Structures are given as C-alpha cells and as structure tokens.
Amino acid sequence: MTSQNEYNNGLSIDPKNGDIYSVAMDTADNMIVFSHDAQGDIPPVRRLSTPHRNFASAIDDEKGEVFITIQYPPKVMVYRREASDREKPLRVLEGEHTGLYDAHGLAIDLKKKLMFVGNWGNASDYRVAGSGKFYSPSITVYPLDASGDTAPLRVIQGPKTQLDWFGGMSLDPDNGNLYVANDVGNSILIFKETDQGNVAPSRIIKGPKTGLSHPAGISVDAKNKEFWVSNMGNSSATCISLTANGDAAPVRTIRSAPAGRVSLKFGKPQAVAYDSKREEYLVPN
Amino acid sequence: MNTPQIAVFARLAKENTLETRALEGQKTMISRTMHSLAYDSVHDEIVVNSPLAQAILFFRGGAKGEEPPVRVIQGPHTQIRGTDYDGNDKMTFDEVHGEVIIPINRDTVLVFSREANGDVAPIRVLGGPDTQIRGPARGHPVVGVDPIHDLLVVRSVGEQGSGGSLLMFDRTATGNTKPRSVIRGPKTGLAGAGGGTGQLQVYAPKGWIVGGAEGGSIGVWSIEDSGDAPPRWKIPVQQLAGIAPSGVAIDPVHKEVIVASGGRNRLVTFYFPEMFD
C-alpha cells in the first residue's frame, strides 16, 4: 500500500541511474518512480499525476525527458524526468493530423531521434457527436521532439503487419529493429526501423514452443542480445534471443504460476450482463 | 494492466474459474471503458458500446474469439457523443421493443432500433432542461427500461454531483419532456456521481428498479414510488462482501442479483428471492 503500486501497465528503466518508472492507468492515473535498489512496501521517490488512461513510458536519458502515451483522448506527453506532483508537460503531441488513435506502446530511438507509437485504431473526437471511426492498427513514427498537431513521418499499417491489439514496443539501439508485443496475435513482431506502409514483419516469433501467451510488455536488453516479454495469459516473463525467429523456445522463463496454468485476465470489471439462454455471465474488462 | 475483453463465465463459476470463452481482438471493435452491456435473449445477441469510437456493437450471443460484430451503429447521423473521461460508456437494451438506449452528452438520451446498422439517425431523442436529465461532470446518466409498464428510467445526478434522482418517463418520450414522476430526496439512498452503479436494471414483472445506493449498496425502488421514497430493499454489498458495486445484472429464473466490482476485481452473486416472488 505504501508503494502506491496499482494497475501499473508500463515500466521503464532509466539507463543512466537504474531508476524504475511505472505508469498506472485508470485507478491511479499517475507515474511513480522508485530507485534501482528499492524493495518491499516503500514509498516512491516521486509521483507525477498524468491524464486518465496512460499506457506506456520511455526515457530519453540524454535530454532528461520522460515520454508517456495516453490512450484516449490520444496524445504523447513529454515531461522533465524529475517531474512530480502536478507538474505540466514540456510538450504534448496531440491533434487530428497526428494519426494517434487509441495510443498504446511507445519506443524511442535516441540515435536517429525518432519516436514510435502504437495505435489500436479506435477513434473519435469527444467534442464532436458522431465522429467515431475504426481504423486498422498502426505504428506511427515521429521526430523525437514532435509536439502539437504534427503528422507522422511514416506509418506502418495494413493486413500484412499482423498487428492485433499490440501492447509494449522496444527498440534495439544497435540496429533500430522494433520489437512489438502483439498481444492478441500471441506473437512478437519485429519490424525494421525504416519500414512503412502495409509491410510484413521481418521476423515473427510465434508458436507453442515460445511460451508466449497474450504478450503485453517487452524490453530489449541490447547488452546481452536478449529481450524480455511479460505474458498476461500465463503469468510469466520469457527471455528470448534477439535473433530468434519462428517457433523459438525462450532462453529462460520466470513464472509466478505453475507451468501450463492459464491466467484469468479478469481486470476491473465495471459491468455485467446475464445470458439467460446459456446461463452465463458476460463480463467486460 | 489488462486488455479489453468480454469474458463469459458459467453461472456457477467461482473463485478463479476460467472463462468459457472471451471476445477480444482487433476485429471485435470493442475497446476499454465498457461500463455497461446487455444480453438480448429474444434475438440471442450481445449489445455493447465501443466507448472510444462512439459506436454500438451487436454480436451473436455465442460470439467468441476475434469475431466481428454483426452490426455496428456509428457515424455522423447517430449523434453519439462521449466525454474525454468516459467515452460513450453507458447503455441499456429493451428486448421487447428491440431498442438500444444510449445516454450521451450528460443530458440527452438517444434511442436506436436494434436493427439499425451503420450511420443511422436515432429514432427518438430525449433531452432538454425540462427533462431534468443530468450526468456527472465527465460522464453520462444511467438508463434502464421497463418494457411492460412502458417506462424509461434515468438516474440523474444532483446539483453538485452528489445525491441524485430516478426520473421516470414514458418509454417513447421525445424532446424536452418532463418526467412522469421523480424519486428524489435524502431518504432515497440514491448514490451520487461517484457511488452508483453504471447499470440500472428494471425487473419489469414487478416494477422494481435495481441500481446503486449509498453506502456501497444495491437498492431496489418501485416504479410506483415518487418523491423522497426510501428503497424497498437494500443489499449492503460493501458490508457483506467488502466491495463497492460498479455494475449490476439480474437473473429472475434463479432469483439472483449479480454485482460487478471494478475496484475489487470481483463478481459476486446474491440469492434474493424476495424481489422476484
């Protein structure tokens, strides 16, 4: 309770000092920061209030900035790394030309000064009645310092991409490959940094040997040539080689449930309906 | 975190029982913030908002996996509008008359035919100062329907967002129409903007209105009530189960009231024969 950890969905590690940044959506609407060695039920070193529905974060340790995606109304907030309480962002990427629609994952490339944002495609302007639209999912790419209503430099979008309610994204700084946790697709998609349009991933990790089950979070470890995936579907974290392809087994697995156990994935059910024909409860997350 | 889904559980499921099926994925068009949904037993369909895309989705009753909806109401003619906080997250369904009822914009109720598909105008719009309909600051009022007594019930919040009222309209009321009757006052136990459920059920054979009440309770009022009428019954959910209700459904066959709690990540079922006998 003291840690204020709840409903966290995006973790980032500051490469400079190892600080842990955790964004928590919905019930908390904040980002809390812990020191690298923190453990137990201790308070965060700072807490920053964010708009409702935050999802992912990324840290630019060169400029000392932290990036946070907001699902809806979609935007990318950029704060000072040391921001706390109700501090205002340095800049915000938001507007009808941005191509942001139900923003989720976020990755930044400090070498080429690029920002990648994952979009699920659910769109509407809450101020305009009847403005709702469904777009196909996309990854939009911006200059790292983009703000305001800036259009993306390029967009990865289309049926060849296989994007399906994808969550976290992480970039290999050595070659710019973008690793995508493709949640409902039960796969990891790897795109080249220069990809655009309706392009197939250069590699897809998927299959029974992978241990992937609703992969939600992902983080590249360039030093050890591995990446880690958090699996919501079986309560595990799998470590996979950066060069893996196809139905590749993980290098290591950490589990918090017995092997083979399927997670309930029951999360914050606000409503219920009763199906009298089948005698079943319908429960939305 | 969790991705959106509509998970389906056996009625007698308990503790960590897995779902029998789940609807999820890009093709379903569902999104997070689904704060109400309904099952249409007459046509065997699931009806739910897609809150971030200003849409209403209809699925087969047995839909599962990444199955697309059979119909989608969305577009400029629909007038569907959300808020920055809740999107368009509320609805109720009248399976007798085949109508989906959607509160929008804090002060308006739209009615669509269940057969509507695409960019269609609502068949009725109820709204205006005389209606007394008012939702919370960044959300919407809550709606229920009694197809037997031909009543539309709207839970409206009070002046400061606390307290509240149950407004009863003719089911087919349109425009700036006054409610037929109003339940309002300190004895009513009506929870305010923060304490109520996002769903309101009406057990039409008996005329009972079932929804959130103060103190983390489920309250039951009568459609015959008006003024400062206390609930006929209260289920003290917070006291009994340690959870605050956020959604509610009823199962008349088994005489049960089902309560969802987002805050505690739980679903609890109460056997409550008094209400159904």
Side-chain angles (χ1 to χ4, degrees), chain A residues 7-9 25-27 29 52-55 71-73 102 104 119-137 163-166 183-184 214 216-217 232 261-285, chain B residues 1-11 17-21 24-26 28-37 39 41 44 46 50 52-55 61-62 66 74-76 78-86 199 246-251 254 256 258 260-262 265-267 269:
Chain A
Y7 221 89
N8 54 337
N9 44 276
M25 63 159 68
D26 207 53
T27 57
D29 292 338
H52 192 45
R53 295 192 189 90
N54 62 36
F55 185 81
Q71 295 173 328
Y72 183 90
D102 197 358
H104 277 72
N119 301 281
W120 283 17
N122 298 306
S124 66
D125 181 342
Y126 70 90
R127 294 157 296 199
V128 181
S131 61
K133 288 179 182 174
F134 293 108
Y135 295 106
S136 59
L163 294 168
D164 195 346
W165 277 11
F166 56 114
D183 190 317
V184 172
H214 283 278
M232 287 290 287
R261 175 74 179 269
V262 178
S263 303
L264 191 53
K265 296 197 297 103
F266 191 87
K268 198 169 178 284
Q270 290 284 121
V272 59
Y274 181 64
D275 177 342
S276 54
K277 181 179 177 182
R278 296 171 185 78
E279 295 196 352
E280 291 178 328
Y281 297 156
L282 309 174
V283 187
N285 270 353
Chain B
M1 68 157 286
N2 57 276
T3 52
Q5 64 174 359
I6 297 174
V8 183
F9 297 89
R11 184 180 71 85
T17 305
L18 287 174
E19 69 264 18
T20 57
R21 58 193 157 97
E24 62 181 359
Q26 208 78 48
T28 66
M29 300 180 178
I30 64 175
S31 76
R32 61 166 298 183
T33 318
M34 294 177 284
H35 293 164
S36 57
L37 81 168
Y39 174 70
S41 67
D44 190 22
I46 301 166
S50 188
L52 307 188
Q54 295 180 345
E66 196 165 355
Q74 184 191 50
T78 66
Q79 303 179 41
I80 297 172
R81 184 178 171 186
T83 68
D84 62 336
Y85 197 82
D86 278 342
Q199 293 173 287
S246 49
V248 64
I250 57 175
D251 170 5
H254 301 96
E256 291 175 341
I258 307 121
S261 173
N265 208 31
R266 235 179 275 178
L267 209 69
T269 302

Side-chain angles (χ1 to χ4, degrees), chain A residues 92-153:
Chain A
V92 180
L93 175 66
E94 180 182 28
E96 59 180 326
H97 297 104
T98 62
L100 294 171
Y101 303 117
D102 197 358
H104 277 72
L106 174 67
I108 59 176
D109 183 343
L110 297 181
K111 281 184 183 171
K112 295 187 176 174
K113 305 298 179 193
L114 294 172
M115 168 171 47
F116 297 76
V117 181
N119 301 281
W120 283 17
N122 298 306
S124 66
D125 181 342
Y126 70 90
R127 294 157 296 199
V128 181
S131 61
K133 288 179 182 174
F134 293 108
Y135 295 106
S136 59
S138 65
I139 298 171
T140 44
V141 187
Y142 309 88
L144 191 58
D145 60 355
S147 66
D149 190 11
T150 301
L153 299 169

